[in-house]
Amino acid sequence: MKHELLMLRSLLVASLLVCGLILGNMLTYSGNPIQLAGVGTAVSTTATACALPPDGIVCPRAAS
């Protein structure tokens, strides 16, 4: 019984340590953000071509 309790406690401590290190790294990261390829241009062209009206109702386009 004591062996299992020791294993569970050590697993809890190890997982808390890893989570703390990950959280600390996320909060103190000061590098450049990662730019995904093509996401910025696709979003900007789509946003200008098909913007939502103020009421939020989207009507289908008529085929020309």
Side-chain angles (χ1 to χ4, degrees):
M1 183 70 178
K2 289 186 178 189
H3 184 352
E4 291 92 2
L5 196 60
L6 179 65
M7 291 292 287
L8 285 175
R9 282 186 184 168
S10 62
L11 180 63
L12 175 67
V13 169
S15 63
L16 286 176
L17 179 67
V18 169
C19 290
L21 288 173
I22 291 171
L23 181 65
N25 191 20
M26 286 191 300
L27 293 176
T28 60
Y29 183 70
S30 62
N32 293 332
I34 297 172
Q35 177 71 33
L36 296 176
V39 171
T41 57
V43 169
S44 64
T45 57
T46 307
T48 58
C50 183
L52 283 176
D55 60 357
I57 299 173
V58 179
C59 298
R61 295 184 183 176
S64 51

